[in-house]
Amino acid sequence: MSRYHHDRRRKILMAFFSRVATGIDLGTANTVICRPRGGVVLNEPSVMVISKDNGRRPHLVACGKQARALVGHTPQGSVTARPIQDGVIIDLELAKMFITALMGRVSQQSWRRFRARAVIGVPVGATSLERRALLEVADEARISRAVLIPEPVAAAVACGLDPLGPTTHMVVDIGGGTAEVTAFCYGGIVANRSCRVAGDEMTLALYQHLRQEHHIIVGEVTAEDLKIKAASEEGPSLVVEGRDAGSGRPRLITVAVEEIVQATAPITAEIVQTLAGCLDDLGAQGVKDVMSEGVYLVGGGSLMRGFDKLVEKTFGFPVKLAERPLTCVAEGTAMCLTLPAVLKAYGTS
């Protein structure tokens, strides 16, 4: 075979590979799917609406953004469900329906003819049973040769770090259900601490604060949107729409952005304590590396206003927010498809 034909064949194979191979971040709040060469191809809430009419097996009504729009006011006979909690699968049947539906959206014709290859992010603290459940669901959802890789390692790859090098890197991943602090180097995990308080608990804390201090009841989606807006709001306050706790009538109030930050302060304080515990688990050289290089913040919770400054003030080392904290885990898993050494060191299948 001539060099020209060899190169052409390689390009054709790479183009096909990029269409059927995916990197997947199955988050508690959002599921993100990336291609090795195409970037983010799907970013949807990890929510689904299922019908349970007449005691039959549940079937999918809506998923992703369509399902989130129905939270709090689903039609009779239907309920909202979250098949992923704390970064792991809690319902095998629902998870299979959810993943199959999302993969069908991004794979089109190639999905019907070929089984996709995928690298899937998984929390470092996931048990062997939880990992096995994820691989089982991936197989039933027509994903072949699925490989699981720790989410902080995938995020580090997307941030341009080398998880195989001798320098200790530390990543703080604040997702919807779990916050994880992980240190790794030379192809292995050095230290890991996690806490089951993260973005969802911030939303709950804000909901409770509004009810107790302002006597206004808001929906889950409203509280979450308010938390997200507070992270980037340039003005001093935000308008909140809800229902008066006493009269039940619609009501509008104005809440200071700083008040929203203070309402979530107990959650961020617990995450900081988790980071302190992970530092305690490191050896002297590892701490030296972290003090020199700093820590990387990823995940939606890391966007909470003032969190990076709080970490810097508490520990005195540099804090670096990922360029795309909401999607860097999925981007890193897609990049790992072309990094066999990283998959060999950190992956499980």
Side-chain angles (χ1 to χ4, degrees), residues 305-319:
R305 185 187 293 261
F307 181 73
D308 55 343
K309 302 300 181 185
L310 174 64
V311 175
E312 280 187 351
K313 181 180 178 181
T314 303
F315 299 101
F317 48 58
V319 175

Side-chain angles (χ1 to χ4, degrees), residues 185-338:
C185 75
Y186 211 62
I189 303 296
V190 178
N192 171 259
R193 290 284 186 106
S194 65
C195 61
R196 295 296 174 100
V197 293
D200 288 349
E201 282 68 28
M202 292 181 187
T203 301
L204 178 60
L206 182 55
Y207 167 85
Q208 293 174 338
H209 175 82
L210 292 173
R211 180 160 188 168
Q212 293 170 4
E213 300 299 325
H214 296 277
H215 308 290
I216 186 172
I217 301 173
V218 299
E220 175 189 342
V221 173
T222 300
E224 185 177 0
D225 288 343
L226 185 64
K227 176 192 70 177
I228 294 171
K229 289 178 182 178
S232 58
E233 177 61 37
E234 296 181 358
S237 61
L238 289 167
V239 175
V240 181
E241 302 178 23
R243 179 166 56 88
D244 188 89
S247 66
R249 295 177 179 176
R251 183 178 163 207
L252 289 175
I253 64 169
T254 301
V255 180
V257 172
E258 185 58 32
E259 183 180 348
I260 295 173
V261 174
Q262 290 302 316
T264 60
I267 309 301
T268 55
E270 189 165 345
I271 295 171
V272 169
Q273 287 299 314
T274 303
L275 173 54
C278 192
L279 284 170
D280 290 341
D281 296 339
L282 281 181
Q285 187 59 47
V287 173
K288 179 178 180 297
D289 289 343
V290 174
M291 291 296 293
S292 174
E293 182 179 291
V295 300
Y296 286 79
L297 304 182
V298 304
S302 66
L303 293 172
M304 197 64 198
R305 185 187 293 261
F307 181 73
D308 55 343
K309 302 300 181 185
L310 174 64
V311 175
E312 280 187 351
K313 181 180 178 181
T314 303
F315 299 101
F317 48 58
V319 175
K320 303 172 183 178
L321 182 64
E323 185 176 349
R324 293 176 295 278
L326 296 171
T327 60
C328 65
V329 171
E331 292 171 357
T333 57
M335 294 170 67
C336 286
L337 283 159
T338 61

Side-chain angles (χ1 to χ4, degrees), residues 43-280:
N43 187 353
E44 297 271 354
S46 299
V47 185
M48 56 195 301
V49 174
I50 56 174
S51 175
K52 306 184 86 171
D53 290 335
N54 302 323
R56 300 174 183 174
R57 291 184 59 185
H59 65 269
L60 184 66
V61 175
C63 67
K65 294 175 183 176
Q66 294 175 342
R68 187 178 186 272
L70 292 173
V71 172
H73 49 89
T74 54
Q76 290 186 354
S78 299
V79 295
T80 57
R82 296 179 181 269
I84 301 156
Q85 185 174 328
D86 300 331
V88 295
I89 288 172
I90 59 171
D91 189 304
L92 294 178
E93 185 176 359
L94 295 185
K96 176 188 172 183
M97 284 194 292
F98 180 74
I99 296 172
T100 301
L102 294 187
M103 290 295 293
R105 289 184 187 180
V106 302
S107 298
Q108 298 177 354
Q109 294 299 322
S110 60
W111 170 253
R112 297 186 179 93
R113 293 177 296 176
F114 304 98
R115 290 170 63 89
R117 181 188 174 197
V119 173
I120 305 173
V122 65
V124 176
T127 66
S128 58
L129 182 61
E130 291 168 337
R131 293 170 187 267
R132 195 158 56 246
L134 181 52
L135 289 172
E136 179 182 333
V137 167
D139 181 67
E140 292 184 1
R142 292 188 59 80
I143 296 175
S144 69
R145 293 187 295 163
V147 179
L148 308 183
I149 191 167
E151 290 172 350
V153 174
V157 171
C159 291
L161 304 179
D162 179 13
L164 302 177
T167 301
T168 299
H169 303 292
M170 180 171 281
V171 172
V172 181
D173 184 1
I174 308 174
T178 304
E180 276 198 318
V181 184
T182 309
F184 48 87
C185 75
Y186 211 62
I189 303 296
V190 178
N192 171 259
R193 290 284 186 106
S194 65
C195 61
R196 295 296 174 100
V197 293
D200 288 349
E201 282 68 28
M202 292 181 187
T203 301
L204 178 60
L206 182 55
Y207 167 85
Q208 293 174 338
H209 175 82
L210 292 173
R211 180 160 188 168
Q212 293 170 4
E213 300 299 325
H214 296 277
H215 308 290
I216 186 172
I217 301 173
V218 299
E220 175 189 342
V221 173
T222 300
E224 185 177 0
D225 288 343
L226 185 64
K227 176 192 70 177
I228 294 171
K229 289 178 182 178
S232 58
E233 177 61 37
E234 296 181 358
S237 61
L238 289 167
V239 175
V240 181
E241 302 178 23
R243 179 166 56 88
D244 188 89
S247 66
R249 295 177 179 176
R251 183 178 163 207
L252 289 175
I253 64 169
T254 301
V255 180
V257 172
E258 185 58 32
E259 183 180 348
I260 295 173
V261 174
Q262 290 302 316
T264 60
I267 309 301
T268 55
E270 189 165 345
I271 295 171
V272 169
Q273 287 299 314
T274 303
L275 173 54
C278 192
L279 284 170
D280 290 341

